[in-house]
């Protein structure tokens, strides 16, 4: 599969997971079963009253990371931060707690270190949320060098999430994406990379009943990896993730990102891709990444 298929797959994977899961956010699996059975279509609605194909903060912040990198690939972190503020100023309806606190503090202090530390303190040290993981994929899509990917992946996390657990989750996730972009095998790649991230080894022992679809970054990434590992198509992975409920849009977006890179754009159902309202923006980002990508 060519790289372009995988880059487009990753970006549309995030958006499709986000748009599907957005309908189910904050619902329990019992409520989902009662109301939707098993949701397999992007229908909008839910607690955000979404239009069908409307995406939320997960996709919009992924776009912000990508645009920041494309503006200044050699030193993108300040530009990524500027893109976050631009998005924040657009008054999005769905903004996670840690990110809202960090971005409003940045607007006051103009200092990213202060911003993420402030959010860490203000949440009583609970800054290991999934908000930096949900947006980090473009770093792996853009750069071809593992060390550069790890460095920028960590820095983009630290803009808003002070906790090292958030950094580690982003690094683990983007190392998987980097390897899938280079045509590596599905399960052996996870087994190899997980050695550096022992918090996640439980994923191979859990059943679906043990999964906790919360916003805590370790719970979230365990859910996403579990859904990816225990299915064999893009659609099944993302449906499993969304139908867990809880932080459904973010968990499905993260699952969709990695599954999209691994299975490729063509494996994403057309009925989903067609619905995504920001599809032109995603395609434009993919084209610009591909154009620049061989230079780095
Ligand atoms: Mg969201």
């Amino acid at each position: 599969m060519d790289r372009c298929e995988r880059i487009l797959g990753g970006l549309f994977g995030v958006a499709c997971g986000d748009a599907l899961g957005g309908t189910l956010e904050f619902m329990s699996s019992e409520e989902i079963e009662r109301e939707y059975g098993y949701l397999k279509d992007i229908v909008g609605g839910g607690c955000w009253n979404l239009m069908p194909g409307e995406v939320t903060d997960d996709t919009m912040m992924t776009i912000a990371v990508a645009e920041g990198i494309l503006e200044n690939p050699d030193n993108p972190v300040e530009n990524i931060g500027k893109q976050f503020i631009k998005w924040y100023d657009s008054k999005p309806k769905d903004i996670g707690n840690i990110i809202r606190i960090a971005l409003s503090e940045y607007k006051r202090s103009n200092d990213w270190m202060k911003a993420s530390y402030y959010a860490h303190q203000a949440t009583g040290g609970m800054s290991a949320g999934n908000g930096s993981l949900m947006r980090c994929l473009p770093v792996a899509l853009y750069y071809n060098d593992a060390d550069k990917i790890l460095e920028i992946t960590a820095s983009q996390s630290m803009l808003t999430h002070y906790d090292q657990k958030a950094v580690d989750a982003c690094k683990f996730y983007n190392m998987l994406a980097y390897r899938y972009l280079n045509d590596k095998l599905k399960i052996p790649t996870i087994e190899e990379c997980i050695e550096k991230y022992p918090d996640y080894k439980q994923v191979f022992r859990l059943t679906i009943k043990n999964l906790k679809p919360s916003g805590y970054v370790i719970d979230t990434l365990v859910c996403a990896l579990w859904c990816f590992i225990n299915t064999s198509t893009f659609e099944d992975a993302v449906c499993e993730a969304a139908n867990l409920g809880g932080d459904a849009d973010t968990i499905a977006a993260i699952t969709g990102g990695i599954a999209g890179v691994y299975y490729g754009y063509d494996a994403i159902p057309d009925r989903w891709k067609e619905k995504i309202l920001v599809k032109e923006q995603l395609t434009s980002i993919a084209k610009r990444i591909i154009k620049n990508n061989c230079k780095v």
Side-chain angles (χ1 to χ4, degrees), residues 18 25 56-58 94 249-250:
D18 184 6
E25 190 166 12
T56 74
D57 54 347
D58 311 85
D94 58 325
D249 60 337
T250 301

Side-chain angles (χ1 to χ4, degrees), residues 220-272:
T220 295
L221 187 51
V222 166
C223 287
L225 289 174
W226 191 95
C227 293
F228 176 55
I229 291 167
N230 290 284
T231 52
S232 51
T233 65
F234 177 89
E235 180 172 347
D236 287 350
V238 171
C239 285
E240 282 292 85
N243 284 275
L244 292 172
D247 201 355
D249 60 337
T250 301
I251 295 171
I254 291 165
T255 308
I258 201 72
V261 172
Y262 179 75
Y263 294 113
Y265 181 74
D266 285 350
I268 303 176
D270 289 336
R271 70 178 200 285
W272 288 1

Side-chain angles (χ1 to χ4, degrees), residues 11 60-73 76 79-84 86 138 142 280-282 284-286 288-289:
L11 293 170
M60 296 318 287
M61 291 199 89
T62 298
I63 290 174
V65 170
E67 293 290 0
I69 293 171
L70 287 159
E71 265 172 24
N72 186 6
N79 298 71
I80 292 171
K82 275 189 200 139
Q83 293 285 337
F84 290 172
K86 197 168 131 193
Y142 189 88
E280 274 85 24
Q281 227 174 323
L282 297 174
S284 147
I285 287 170
R288 285 178 284 145
I289 290 178

